[in-house]
Amino acid sequence: MKGVTVISSLQFKLIELSDRDWMEECFRAGHRGSLEYSFTNLFVWRKVLNIQAARFGGYAVVMANCENPTYVFPMGTGPLLPVIEAMQEDARERGVPLRFNTLLEEDRLRLEALYPGKFEITPIRHAYDYVYESQKLISLSGKKLSQKRNNINKFVKEYRDWQFETIDGSNIDEVHQMAHRWRELSAAAGGSTESLDDEICALEETFRHYFELKMDGGFIRAGGRIIAFSIGDPLNDDVYLVQFEKAFQEVPGAYQIINQQFVEHFAANYKFVNREDDTGDEGLRRAKLSYDPIYLVAKYTAEEVQAAPEAEAEA
């Protein structure tokens, strides 16, 4: 089959829209607790990170970068051990130990129970997801969020014509253009060209397949132009995932108002909002912490410990 890599008992291929139903069925069977278990997130980033998927029984197995592969801990139904064994075989055939790029806390405990002492497990703080109470993001109540309220109040006073609009067929091209202008301004301000290009690539996939993916999107128009937008979709029955949020830095309050308005319009009926990780960027970390998250989703990497060669072991 064209585009399919056959290794061991797993058949990996680049994720396609046609994979959505079976992958989401597998994800729904588990905790689906982080952005790595969002089909839409995997799909729009699949070209940037070379994300491929394989089906093994009732499990979805996701791999990134087949040349030097790492895997997301599998999600689905049925016995777990055969899935892990298939992943070990797949990794060996590729010449590397089995390495998980995403391992959540409950899965860490499952892996350690199955393979005590066989994996080196390391927390990855830059990958922790930030989760907030949706109603708190809407009301911005409390002393900790007073500055957010002040920023929005100043914005509303300065831009009396502002309005929130939903992304649809009549305006998606305009939002698309704003995303590219945001990239230009961010690069001019000293942002990493590589990371900006990666994000634009993911956004290109988002805009190209926006209606097929059935995502939610909204933007703020002020002074006759779009100055901020957000795009997301539900992660599970309780948690809404905000995947992209972009605003012009030169417009004070733009980020605060799109944050508040997007949640109010699309996530008010969900208990929590997941605003993804901070990628290790200190400024982004401060911004996410300043919104007072109710909890962070801890994540780990895990690498299978290789047995020492027999001769070395005897020495």
Side-chain angles (χ1 to χ4, degrees):
M1 188 183 298
K2 184 179 179 181
V4 176
T5 303
V6 180
I7 301 290
S8 68
S9 54
L10 293 171
Q11 297 184 38
F12 282 101
K13 68 179 183 64
L14 198 68
I15 294 174
E16 300 173 1
L17 280 170
S18 58
D19 295 311
R20 182 170 194 162
D21 287 346
W22 75 263
M23 289 185 70
E24 289 200 333
E25 182 180 355
C26 292
F27 291 161
R28 281 194 297 269
H31 50 66
R32 202 180 187 182
S34 67
L35 66 89
E36 290 81 6
Y37 297 103
S38 159
F39 175 82
T40 52
N41 184 277
L42 294 172
F43 181 83
V44 300
W45 284 94
R46 73 195 191 286
K47 292 182 179 179
V48 175
L49 303 175
N50 189 12
I51 298 175
Q52 301 186 28
R55 191 170 190 171
F56 187 93
Y59 282 85
V61 182
V62 176
M63 174 184 68
N65 185 13
C66 61
E67 299 300 320
N68 187 25
T70 61
Y71 304 80
V72 177
F73 196 81
M75 189 64 62
T77 56
L80 178 61
L81 186 59
V83 191
I84 303 296
E85 290 175 341
M87 296 172 74
Q88 288 174 310
E89 181 185 355
D90 185 80
R92 282 196 299 269
E93 291 289 337
R94 298 175 190 273
V96 297
L98 176 57
R99 295 175 296 185
F100 293 104
N101 57 54
T102 301
L103 185 67
L104 303 191
E105 181 64 29
E106 58 193 90
D107 296 325
R108 179 184 70 81
L109 298 175
R110 297 169 73 194
L111 185 65
E112 289 181 327
L114 285 173
Y115 295 93
K118 299 297 184 182
F119 282 84
E120 182 178 348
I121 298 175
T122 306
I124 41 174
R125 174 62 181 83
H126 67 270
Y128 286 18
D129 287 358
Y130 291 76
V131 180
Y132 308 82
E133 292 179 287
S134 60
Q135 291 305 312
K136 196 167 183 180
L137 289 182
I138 295 170
S139 67
L140 298 174
S141 59
K143 186 176 180 180
K144 289 183 178 180
L145 299 178
S146 61
Q147 187 58 52
K148 312 297 182 187
R149 297 195 302 273
N150 292 339
N151 289 341
I152 289 176
N153 289 336
K154 290 177 182 177
F155 174 89
V156 170
K157 288 179 180 178
E158 182 170 353
Y159 297 94
R160 297 186 180 277
D161 67 340
W162 79 273
Q163 55 186 333
F164 179 90
E165 299 180 37
T166 298
I167 295 176
D168 59 28
S170 70
N171 55 41
I172 191 169
D173 289 342
E174 192 178 358
V175 181
H176 192 175
Q177 292 168 13
M178 181 265 171
H180 281 278
R181 180 58 180 159
W182 167 85
R183 187 256 177 235
E184 292 172 1
L185 293 172
S186 297
S192 165
T193 301
E194 183 178 358
S195 63
L196 288 169
D197 286 345
D198 285 348
E199 191 146 24
I200 283 296
C201 181
L203 275 167
E204 287 291 337
E205 288 297 292
T206 302
F207 288 122
R208 184 177 296 117
H209 300 284
Y210 180 81
F211 299 107
E212 297 167 285
L213 290 169
K214 299 178 181 178
M215 300 185 79
D216 300 320
F219 60 89
I220 301 294
R221 190 187 298 277
R225 64 176 181 140
I226 296 175
I227 54 95
F229 73 88
S230 281
I231 296 173
D233 63 352
L235 181 61
N236 57 45
D237 290 342
D238 293 321
V239 183
Y240 190 96
L241 180 67
V242 177
Q243 297 192 43
F244 297 100
E245 182 181 89
K246 305 301 171 194
F248 290 142
Q249 289 282 7
E250 73 269 20
V251 181
Y255 268 109
Q256 289 77 27
I257 196 163
I258 186 60
N259 184 324
Q260 189 264 346
Q261 285 291 303
F262 185 79
V263 174
E264 181 174 322
H265 282 82
F266 292 110
N269 293 328
Y270 292 83
K271 188 174 182 180
F272 303 112
V273 173
N274 182 321
R275 293 181 51 77
E276 299 195 339
D277 54 45
D278 61 37
T279 70
D281 182 283
E282 287 301 322
L284 188 56
R285 179 170 298 182
R286 287 193 297 272
K288 295 202 178 221
L289 288 172
S290 72
Y291 270 95
D292 195 23
I294 190 168
Y295 68 89
L296 274 62
V297 180
K299 301 179 192 177
Y300 305 83
T301 59
E303 181 168 333
E304 191 172 11
V305 177
Q306 299 295 288
E310 201 169 310
E312 291 183 18
E314 290 176 356

